[in-house]
Amino acid sequence: MWRALNVALRDAMAADERVFLMGEDLTRWGTGGGIHGVAKRLGDEYGSHRVRDTPISEEAIVAAAVGAAVRGSRPVVEIMYSDFSLLAMDPIVNQAAKIRYMFGGQFQVPLVLRSNGGAGTGKAAQHSQSLETIFAHVPGLEVALPATPDDAYGLLITAIRSPNPTIFLEHKALYNVKGPLQRTPIPFGRARIARRGDHLTIVATQLMLHRALTVADRMAERGVSIEVIDPRTLYPLDLETVTTSIARTHRLLVVHEAPRDFGFGAEIAASATESCWDLLEEPPMRLGSARAPIPYAEALEREIVPGEDDIEAAVQQLLSRGSRMTATTRHSS
């Protein structure tokens, strides 16, 4: 996946001279590329004018990028960890997301903020959060969550071309995931059916998507057919693909890595209920992490974040006739 992102940046910079990169240590880690190597060697190819190392100040980085975007450039900002984007919430939420509206469309903000979230690599509480719902809640922001190399490439190309500010959140545990690359843009708001099925629909993102697919394969051996959907973008959200699936499976489970409480799973479950009330045989279920900071210790981390066994248990609960559950957490209450 990291190589797919690197190719996307290279292709975008070659196609449009307005595209430039900025972030911490983009040219100073070995052969360059930032902490995860996504911008590797781009500094050598395009020079310091288009690959800019910045001071350690997330607020200043994003604020400068907003100004550059308003003036016609297309900056792609890298924030080392999405947790650090909280230091830049004013330029993200009060400036980037609102300038086009407040100035009556006179200005666009074609800004991409790339970062990574999620657990699974032992980065502890301040480097492992899943904050996508926070950004999806803000009018004016687009939010993309790639789970495969092909989606990483296609969604990033679309984000860079978009006239709107995009929060592009990668998953640090998926940077070395391999897969085919078609090298074509992927439209926002178009979910991907990662696996076809008839008995139950799972909507999942990023690391949880991969775990849900493993569970679907496992359940298939027992005669249970599970459809797995990757929304790819939280905003815009492709609810139509979800409701079309529910019309066939009549059951919905939403799995995400962020804490279950107030997560995007609740939004999808509520929207699906409003749209498919007569089609659902059971109330939708949500599965998310426990409401606790992510621990550093690997064993404790596994107790917080949903694993394959937790997803399978939720599937079995939802398939059980008469189960009128409305939600589930990592630890049932």
Side-chain angles (χ1 to χ4, degrees), residues 195-200 215-227 251 312 315-316 319:
R195 193 183 199 282
R196 295 281 182 177
D198 299 312
H199 297 151
L200 181 145
V215 171
D217 290 340
R218 185 189 301 172
M219 296 296 289
E221 297 175 357
R222 307 173 199 173
V224 177
S225 176
I226 297 176
E227 183 146 297
R251 293 175 174 84
E312 182 175 338
V315 167
Q316 291 174 337
L319 288 172

Side-chain angles (χ1 to χ4, degrees), residues 59 62-67 70 88-103 107-109 111 138-141 165:
E59 182 175 15
V62 178
V66 172
V70 168
M89 289 303 273
D90 181 68
I92 294 172
V93 174
N94 288 330
Q95 305 302 328
K98 295 178 174 60
I99 285 176
R100 188 173 186 178
Y101 170 80
M102 294 181 69
F103 286 90
F107 304 104
Q108 297 179 344
V109 189
L111 160 69
V138 177
L141 297 179

Side-chain angles (χ1 to χ4, degrees), residues 22 38-39 84 113-114 127 129 157 163 179 188 215 217 220 257 265 312 318-319:
M22 58 189 300
V38 171
F84 301 168
L113 189 154
R114 280 189 49 252
H127 299 70
Q129 298 173 87
I157 291 293
F188 281 7
V215 171
D217 290 340
E257 189 170 333
E312 182 175 338
L318 192 52
L319 288 172

